[in-house]
Amino acid sequence: MRKKSKERISCETCAFYVYDDEYGAYLCDMNMDEDDYVRIMSDRYYQCPYYRNGDEYAVVRKQM
């Protein structure tokens, strides 16, 4: 039996990943502490505890 490895979910699909006009780039809008940020950046299997799917149509697709 093969063990599935969980890879981290892309920030680009997260609801908190927003464009900031001041910086001219996309940033995470979640106020997280340094420990969480370092763990997210260094461990590719760590799942972000703040991740929320930004796809508004995900629920609609499930209903079809």
Side-chain angles (χ1 to χ4, degrees):
M1 194 190 278
R2 277 172 89 183
K3 193 174 185 181
K4 255 189 179 177
S5 63
K6 275 186 154 181
E7 289 210 28
R8 138 173 91 180
I9 298 170
S10 174
C11 292
E12 293 159 358
T13 60
C14 183
F16 298 117
Y17 194 65
V18 296
Y19 186 78
D20 188 329
D21 291 329
E22 190 173 314
Y23 289 110
Y26 283 91
L27 304 170
C28 180
D29 197 29
M30 178 51 64
N31 187 14
M32 68 176 81
D33 64 4
E34 284 183 32
D35 294 333
D36 284 334
Y37 182 74
V38 169
R39 190 174 301 148
I40 289 169
M41 292 297 121
S42 63
D43 186 0
R44 71 180 216 181
Y45 297 109
Y46 180 71
Q47 297 291 324
C48 179
Y50 306 109
Y51 178 82
R52 299 292 177 261
N53 191 344
D55 184 9
E56 298 98 22
Y57 298 107
V59 174
V60 175
R61 280 194 290 272
K62 278 186 175 181
Q63 294 174 351
M64 292 180 154

